[in-house]
Amino acid sequence: MTTQHDTIYALSSPPGRSAISVIRITGVKAFFVIKKITKKRVWKIKHQNSYPSYIYNINNDLIDEVVLTFFCSPNSYTGEDLVEIATHGNPIIVDTLFNTLKDLGLRLANPGEFTSRAYHNKKIDLVQAESTLSVINAKSRRGLQSSLRGMNGKLSNRLEKIKQNLISSLGDLEYELDIS
């Protein structure tokens, strides 16, 4: 059973071999888990700061040398504590890290769950959430530009102004109907 309170992880970069793979973790245990896999009791965690580190599995075997980037609640994408782990892009490293995170009680995120959490935590609205997927799947520059406008809130702002104008017009119409 999945809940909004689970700490989750997912691969943010494309699967397969590459120079770098990025794994994201979000939820209440995100920073605790980082302390566990880095074997560091104390981290000077600062929002939007990156730190090189070694990470280990639960048997203390070295997984990789990584770069950790911290995003503190409520200022992260999801509105929760969030960590991005940049590893070397070897699938064996990613699988080993995934198994370690699972062993520590984290859950693999469902598709779109990071964006869903951002929406539920009021970090983005529904138009921005839909636009996020459109940005990823855009097939042309024009489509990408349109999706980016939706993602950064410009479309939502325009729609909100239209909504306010409609509400005002409806109020005026009701007033005129009541008076006549």
Side-chain angles (χ1 to χ4, degrees):
M1 179 175 170
T2 64
T3 71
Q4 186 74 15
H5 304 292
D6 293 344
T7 300
I8 59 173
Y9 62 94
L11 183 64
S12 289
S13 53
R17 292 192 186 279
S18 61
I20 296 173
S21 289
V22 178
I23 295 91
R24 297 167 91 193
I25 303 170
T26 191
V28 294
K29 291 193 219 169
F31 294 166
F32 170 77
V33 165
I34 293 303
K35 288 178 184 177
K36 287 280 244 188
I37 66 174
T38 59
K39 309 298 179 200
K40 293 186 181 180
R41 295 189 187 275
V42 180
W43 268 101
K44 292 184 180 180
I45 295 172
K46 293 182 183 175
H47 181 64
Q48 294 183 332
N49 278 9
S50 298
Y51 305 94
S53 183
Y54 293 99
I55 57 171
Y56 303 86
N57 67 15
I58 59 173
N59 296 322
N60 290 329
D61 296 324
L62 179 66
I63 297 174
D64 195 14
E65 184 176 7
V66 301
V67 175
L68 304 168
T69 306
F70 294 94
F71 301 90
C72 300
S73 169
N75 299 315
S76 71
Y77 175 70
T78 60
E80 306 167 336
D81 287 339
L82 188 145
V83 182
E84 289 185 350
I85 305 172
T87 69
H88 289 96
N90 184 316
I92 296 168
I93 293 170
V94 173
D95 289 344
T96 304
L97 178 55
F98 272 30
N99 289 332
T100 300
L101 296 174
K102 181 180 166 196
D103 290 343
L104 291 170
L106 276 62
R107 177 176 60 77
L108 182 62
N110 294 316
E113 191 169 358
F114 278 76
T115 299
S116 174
R117 287 187 180 207
Y119 172 73
H120 288 299
N121 290 328
K122 301 190 182 334
K123 300 302 289 181
I124 60 175
D125 62 30
L126 192 55
V127 172
Q128 290 171 302
E130 291 289 334
S131 294
T132 300
L133 181 61
S134 295
V135 165
I136 293 167
N137 292 322
K139 303 251 189 274
S140 68
R141 288 180 193 229
R142 193 173 200 180
L144 176 61
Q145 289 303 311
S146 175
S147 297
L148 286 170
R149 281 192 296 279
M151 201 171 90
N152 73 11
K154 287 184 180 179
L155 180 57
S156 295
N157 292 339
R158 283 184 65 194
L159 291 173
E160 183 62 31
K161 287 178 186 175
I162 292 169
K163 176 184 167 186
Q164 293 305 320
N165 287 337
L166 287 172
I167 291 170
S168 178
S169 296
L170 182 59
D172 291 345
L173 181 62
E174 287 181 10
Y175 174 76
E176 291 298 325
L177 290 173
D178 286 343
I179 291 199
S180 59

